[in-house]
Amino acid sequence: MVVTGGVLPGAGTGAAAAAAAGATVISTTTTVHGGSGGAAAASGVVTELVVDRFGRARSTTVARSEGGTTITVTGSSAGAAAAALRGRRAALRGGSGSSGARRSGRAAIAAAAAAKGLERQHGPKAFPGLPADFDAQTYLMYHPDLRRLGIDTADAAKQHYLQQGRAEGRPYRRLRVLLRYTACTGLINQQYSHIAAFALAAALGAELVLPPAVCRDSFAHYFSVYKEKNEVRWSPVPLETLLDVDAIVAYWQPRGLVLHRTPSLRPFPDLTQPGAAFPQYPLGSLDPNLVVRMEGVYLKNLELSELMERARAAVVGQATSILKDDPEADLQYIVLDMPCSFFSLRSISNLAVVTEVAKSLRFSPEISAMADRIVEAVTEGGAAPFNGVHLRIEKDARDWAAIMGGQQVVWQGYISTMRGVGFNSTTRIYVASGMLTYGASVEMDRTKNYLRHTGVCSEVHHKEQYIPQRELEALNSEQKALLDFLVLARSQRFAGFGSSTFSFYLREYRALYGIPRSTSGLVDASIIGTDPLFRAAGTVVGDV
């Protein structure tokens, strides 16, 4: 899959061209159909996904025959390309089709050579005063208003720059862009923030500065974006506490996306206002005049093309303001700052890109190892299956319960959902809840008794039974949530809460790794009103 440089750095096609143009190569799928005489003689179908400069995704499938012939099918599947390849093979076997194809190929080569000869004879048009590094394609891409004026060729772009663009401060060559963002609030909100930022950086061909992770002081405290109501305090912690940064960097490096590790943890933005929580890293050697903000993206559920256009407008606008004052300014980079990018991207329209990004965001190996220990114990070495439930009934979820009609309604929804996906009294259950992190052991005991009494499990298990207290105390709030997440991901069946990003993403995460969505159920919380947003901005993988 190839994500081209898009609006900011320019476009290309194919892995080599994409890399040369500053593009991001996410993955390339090759299906080999056999052949003899080694790999070079084998035929194959190579499928790439390309996001163009407008943020539109299309597939390009290239089929290669034994004889080296290449057939390109755009906007089709690998199966269609294979059919085209079979047709090409039939033509080769037919003889006359083969010679006709060769004659057609020779004619095309001759025409191209003649065109080049004419170009050499007459020479290129001269544009005195044009910068040697002027890039007409980038100039037109950066300034879409020119196309509306009929300026849509390289020569017209050059003339416009000399006659008007220079005085207006219009940038004319590719700009290096450093994209910075914040990942805010809970574990999975942070994960969605990363997904949106990575997808945008890949589409733009921008370099990405990783933010710190954050943790809360307690699940017992009420979170609100209204400062007068908010009780939660957020603190920055190293990103490595949640994600396998080394693995993520290693994944993206050969694909052309440059990642910069978190420069520091403080000063830290106020996450009680996520939409205004811009990065606040010390600039160090960065020029503050080269920093520009992209406003209004938090929770906006924007198409990738819309995000790219906002990025283009911000970056090009900043560069233009500088070049207008000083046409000779050497812009080495522009720093583009986003606030919390949670649900800023409409993921359902860009699943091919989002799926690859989500797979690349590997979780902390230390927490993963702890999850392995729990699963090994709960399943008795793999001999006994278990189901999992995310009980979003902590004190900080009291608003949801009130909207739904009270805790009893929530519990009825849970029992109905668990039974609906196959929970019964013969299988043990693993419960994830923030209750025990703030000492609500009495509530948990009542919960365990209730679950057994309603016949949805034989036994109730939770992480506190298997991880020593001293180890748990060394984890921050979101690490504890991640530990539960990774255990639940391996359950036979899962039940969660419809308006919890943790539950919703867990269903997506299981589907991401091939576990059918039919094994997961979410309590109907549609009355809360988050369902449409979750479907549009929270989906990360196609139907499973």
Side-chain angles (χ1 to χ4, degrees):
M1 185 158 65
V2 175
V3 179
T4 70
V7 172
L8 292 178
T13 57
T24 304
V25 182
I26 295 183
S27 69
T28 302
T29 303
T30 304
T31 304
V32 178
H33 296 290
S36 58
S43 63
V45 176
V46 180
T47 302
E48 297 176 340
L49 183 82
V50 180
V51 176
D52 67 18
R53 59 192 175 89
F54 301 108
R56 298 175 302 215
R58 61 182 177 85
S59 65
T60 299
T61 302
V62 179
R64 305 185 188 281
S65 72
E66 290 89 343
T69 305
T70 298
I71 301 172
T72 301
V73 182
T74 300
S76 67
S77 66
L85 178 59
R86 289 192 295 271
R88 177 59 179 158
R89 286 173 178 164
L92 289 172
R93 288 193 297 270
S96 60
S98 175
S99 61
R102 286 195 292 269
R103 285 195 298 271
S104 176
R106 286 195 295 269
I109 293 172
K116 287 186 177 295
L118 287 173
E119 183 178 304
R120 285 194 297 269
Q121 179 181 348
H122 295 288
K125 292 185 178 181
F127 293 90
L130 191 74
D133 56 351
F134 184 89
D135 183 338
Q137 181 189 27
T138 297
Y139 190 71
L140 293 173
M141 197 180 300
Y142 278 5
H143 312 293
D145 61 305
L146 299 183
R147 293 185 181 274
R148 293 192 290 270
L149 300 174
I151 301 170
D152 56 5
T153 66
D155 285 356
K158 295 172 185 177
Q159 290 174 348
H160 181 273
Y161 178 77
L162 291 172
Q163 295 172 1
Q164 189 174 340
R166 188 203 303 271
E168 293 174 344
R170 294 181 183 250
Y172 58 82
R173 60 181 175 82
R174 188 178 306 155
L175 296 167
R176 178 189 176 200
V177 177
L178 302 177
L179 177 62
R180 307 191 304 183
Y181 66 105
T182 60
C184 61
T185 61
L187 168 70
I188 300 305
N189 290 16
Q190 294 180 56
Q191 194 74 357
Y192 278 121
S193 299
H194 297 310
I195 288 173
F198 271 73
L200 178 59
L204 297 177
E207 300 173 32
L208 193 63
V209 181
L210 300 175
V214 298
C215 65
R216 76 192 80 198
D217 52 354
S218 174
F219 283 98
H221 294 163
Y222 174 71
F223 173 69
S224 172
V225 294
Y226 301 104
K227 287 188 175 183
E228 63 276 10
K229 296 182 179 180
N230 179 64
E231 300 173 352
V232 177
R233 294 293 176 265
W234 299 96
S235 301
V237 291
L239 187 59
E240 288 80 0
T241 62
L242 299 181
L243 296 179
D244 188 345
V245 176
D246 288 339
I248 295 169
V249 171
Y251 179 90
W252 287 102
Q253 187 174 19
R255 292 162 172 80
L257 180 58
V258 177
L259 301 179
H260 298 279
R261 295 175 185 270
T262 309
S264 69
L265 298 182
R266 297 183 182 280
F268 192 66
D270 180 5
L271 294 186
T272 62
Q273 301 290 315
F278 286 93
Q280 295 185 13
Y281 306 123
L283 286 174
S285 60
L286 295 179
D287 185 344
N289 294 317
L290 302 182
V291 179
V292 62
R293 288 183 168 185
M294 184 163 65
E295 308 273 359
V297 296
Y298 175 68
L299 286 179
K300 292 303 182 181
N301 182 26
L302 299 172
E303 294 287 353
L304 182 57
S305 58
E306 294 178 283
L307 279 175
M308 292 170 70
E309 173 56 24
R310 292 189 184 206
R312 182 206 64 79
V315 169
V316 174
Q318 186 73 1
T320 298
S321 66
I322 295 170
L323 292 171
K324 188 172 184 179
D325 292 337
D326 181 9
E328 304 304 320
D330 183 16
L331 296 181
Q332 296 296 318
Y333 57 85
I334 295 291
V335 179
L336 177 62
D337 278 358
M338 294 176 69
C340 180
S341 48
F342 170 57
F343 276 1
S344 63
L345 174 66
R346 184 176 176 81
S347 61
I348 199 168
S349 302
N350 302 277
L351 284 181
V353 177
V354 168
T355 296
E356 290 296 332
V357 172
K359 284 184 176 179
S360 77
L361 297 176
R362 304 294 177 84
F363 289 114
S364 160
E366 290 77 17
I367 305 300
S368 297
M370 294 178 73
D372 290 343
R373 289 162 52 191
I374 296 175
V375 171
E376 177 73 11
V378 173
T379 63
E380 298 178 359
F386 72 100
N387 296 327
V389 60
H390 173 221
L391 291 179
R392 194 66 174 94
I393 56 175
E394 300 93 343
K395 291 180 179 178
D396 67 335
R398 61 177 180 258
D399 281 356
W400 290 344
I403 293 171
M404 293 182 66
Q407 285 287 358
Q408 189 59 37
V409 174
V410 174
W411 270 114
Q412 289 172 357
Y414 266 111
I415 299 303
S416 174
T417 299
M418 286 187 271
R419 288 173 176 163
V421 293
F423 284 38
N424 57 52
S425 61
T426 66
T427 307
R428 60 193 64 187
I429 192 174
Y430 180 88
V431 171
S433 173
M435 288 190 295
L436 290 179
T437 66
Y438 57 86
S441 57
V442 174
E443 289 181 57
M444 179 57 80
D445 287 340
R446 290 174 181 167
T447 297
K448 293 162 71 172
N449 290 332
Y450 180 72
L451 291 171
R452 286 192 294 264
H453 177 72
T454 53
V456 293
C457 65
S458 59
E459 303 171 5
V460 179
H461 300 256
H462 46 84
K463 62 181 176 294
E464 288 78 8
Q465 294 171 314
Y466 301 103
I467 304 298
Q469 185 65 23
R470 67 179 185 281
E471 290 187 58
L472 287 175
E473 289 177 351
L475 303 180
N476 65 49
S477 62
E478 310 317 305
Q479 286 178 305
K480 293 173 183 176
L482 176 57
L483 182 56
D484 280 333
F485 182 94
L486 294 174
V487 174
L488 291 173
R490 294 163 64 177
S491 62
Q492 187 177 48
R493 295 176 181 85
F494 165 70
F497 189 73
S499 280
S500 163
T501 53
F502 183 101
S503 292
F504 190 94
Y505 188 73
L506 183 49
R507 186 180 68 176
E508 293 299 299
Y509 185 83
R510 286 161 62 86
L512 192 66
Y513 290 97
I515 302 176
R517 281 199 181 92
S518 60
T519 65
S520 300
L522 301 180
V523 173
D524 182 1
S526 56
I527 191 173
I528 295 175
T530 57
D531 285 11
L533 178 62
F534 277 33
R535 281 194 297 270
T539 305
V540 301
V541 64
D543 293 336
V544 176

